[in-house]
Amino acid sequence: MSILTHKCVIVGSGPAGYTAAIYASRANLDPVLYTGHEPGGQLMITNDVENFPGYPNGIVGPEMMADLEKQARRFGTVVHLGTLINKVDFSQRPFRLWADDGTEMLAHTVVVATGASAKWLGIEAERRLANKGISACAVCDGFFYRKQVVAVVGGGDTAAEEATYLAKLCPEVHLIVRKGALRASKIMQERVMKTSNIRVHWHSEVADVLGTEAVEGIRLINNQTQEYTNIPVAALFIAIGHQPNTQIFKNQLDMDETGYLITKPGTAHTNIEGVFACGDAQDKVYRQAITAAGTGCMAALDAERYLTENSII
Ligand code: NDP
């Protein structure tokens, strides 16, 4: 089987990957996009997206992703649905990539848009009540529970940020922390402690979530006394960290200790010229659809410049 050489291969299919594809295809880079096993990424498990500019009435996550795919295809992006790039070799040029359908390909530029996955507690209720009051993003879903009592689980910066964000919308926020201290930065810890409507439950874990059609409450276990308590809440926000999907780039692309790709500030350039990173795979701070889309645009523009400067196009 002959091995095709592409000008631009995009790995990943969230807002970052599809935005890179729209820009790259309109610039005649003839991009091919591999969606991975979860086409559309994290927005596929989101209900209404109300904060993406341009949708005054909001849009449901899967519909937005279908529109982005359509828009990318309209300009000629070849989309390989459900296929995962599972191996790359950036030590040779063109770069070499392998997909799990057996395809091997060469690429002059690669845009990494593999995203990050929220970590979950691993309890059955997370499946039962997915999109029914259990969420991994307060900025995305908090608004739907304004004026209601909610809970956040986690003790890091994300949990602290989500709890303080929700405290502006909700009369009471229960913060569930499994240890006796927060891991969050000092400034965030202080912010949590100073917010009068955040109630911290130390040494506590979520044993179960109550409700069948909607979240009605959480069942906590104190891991020191083994006592159970039920707390009525309308939503539970899981904020126990994210895992960037960057394992296949290990030892090739620079990443921080938790696996987030490192890009040169203000650009999508990685440590390897011709490989660009965008979206949540390189962003542990903002993690929004709009910021992912913005960096996807940057990655495509950087790829186009690289191809021009190296006389490949
Ligand atoms: P972290 O890994 O820092 O924290 C995860 C928290 O979740 C910890 O308190 C951990 O508990 C808890 N946890 C993990 N698993 C479970 C579980 N199964 N049940 C209950 N609790 C659990 O993740 P974050 O997402 O908070 O932060 C990741 C990185 O991103 C950090 O470096 C952070 O500083 C950074 N960040 C920066 C922001 C900013 O600059 N604005 C905003 C958000 C994040 P334990 O402490 O017991 O291990």
Side-chain angles (χ1 to χ4, degrees):
M1 203 166 57
S2 67
I3 297 180
L4 292 177
T5 303
H6 301 290
K7 281 183 265 190
C8 180
V9 171
I10 298 167
V11 190
S13 58
Y18 278 129
T19 303
I22 292 163
Y23 274 77
S25 48
R26 292 187 81 254
N28 289 338
L29 305 191
D30 306 323
V32 291
L33 181 148
Y34 283 83
T35 66
H37 289 166
E38 289 165 23
Q42 292 189 83
L43 279 179
M44 297 303 282
I45 51 162
T46 306
N47 275 333
D48 294 332
V49 180
E50 292 189 330
N51 53 9
F52 200 97
Y55 293 96
N57 302 316
I59 182 165
V60 290
E63 197 181 327
M64 178 190 249
M65 296 322 298
D67 281 350
L68 282 172
E69 184 193 330
K70 240 186 265 166
Q71 196 173 351
R73 285 187 193 270
R74 177 179 159 209
F75 299 110
T77 301
V78 175
V79 179
H80 292 272
L81 274 180
T83 312
L84 182 81
I85 295 291
N86 57 12
K87 190 175 155 198
V88 296
D89 181 356
F90 294 154
S91 68
Q92 51 171 292
R93 281 168 200 272
F95 307 120
R96 192 174 281 262
L97 298 92
W98 289 263
D100 67 353
D101 63 356
T103 316
E104 196 176 329
M105 72 207 83
L106 297 171
H108 290 294
T109 62
V110 174
V111 171
V112 177
T114 46
S117 307
K119 289 186 194 161
W120 297 95
L121 297 171
I123 56 177
E124 182 276 331
E126 287 171 324
R127 266 190 302 278
R128 180 167 31 99
L129 293 160
N131 284 334
K132 293 177 182 166
I134 296 189
S135 164
C137 178
V139 177
C140 318
D141 298 329
F143 186 74
F144 303 118
Y145 303 97
R146 66 196 183 281
K147 299 191 179 148
Q148 300 183 65
V149 177
V150 299
V152 175
V153 56
D157 276 322
T158 302
E161 231 177 48
E162 302 229 329
T164 46
Y165 175 84
L166 289 164
K168 292 181 195 133
L169 303 173
C170 304
E172 189 169 25
V173 178
H174 295 276
L175 180 60
I176 317 304
V177 182
R178 67 179 175 184
K179 286 192 182 140
L182 293 173
R183 187 201 285 210
S185 52
K186 278 277 169 290
I187 185 164
M188 287 310 295
Q189 293 195 25
E190 277 172 23
R191 218 167 276 172
V192 166
M193 295 310 170
K194 275 192 195 150
T195 307
S196 59
N197 59 337
I198 296 178
R199 186 171 158 210
V200 184
H201 299 258
W202 303 111
H203 301 291
S204 296
E205 294 174 41
V206 177
D208 200 3
V209 186
L210 313 174
T212 46
E213 287 312 308
V215 170
E216 290 167 10
I218 48 175
R219 185 160 173 74
L220 295 188
I221 178 167
N222 181 305
N223 57 28
Q224 294 201 314
T225 62
Q226 308 305 318
E227 264 173 48
Y228 285 92
T229 338
N230 288 359
I231 303 178
V233 296
L236 173 65
F237 292 89
I238 315 280
I240 61 171
H242 284 75
Q243 185 61 50
N245 303 317
T246 56
Q247 294 81 345
I248 62 164
F249 308 110
K250 218 172 168 191
N251 301 323
Q252 302 195 60
L253 295 182
D254 286 349
M255 45 183 85
D256 71 9
E257 66 290 348
T258 45
Y260 285 93
L261 299 176
I262 295 171
T263 50
K264 294 198 183 116
T267 77
H269 288 261
T270 66
N271 55 305
I272 295 186
E273 270 193 60
V275 179
F276 305 93
C278 52
D280 287 10
Q282 53 85 58
D283 171 18
K284 66 178 171 194
V285 177
Y286 300 104
R287 299 194 197 111
Q288 299 300 301
I290 186 68
T291 48
T295 55
C297 160
M298 288 162 64
L301 294 178
D302 283 345
E304 185 195 356
R305 267 181 216 135
Y306 169 86
L307 290 166
T308 307
E309 280 163 12
N310 289 281
S311 307
I312 298 167
I313 54 169

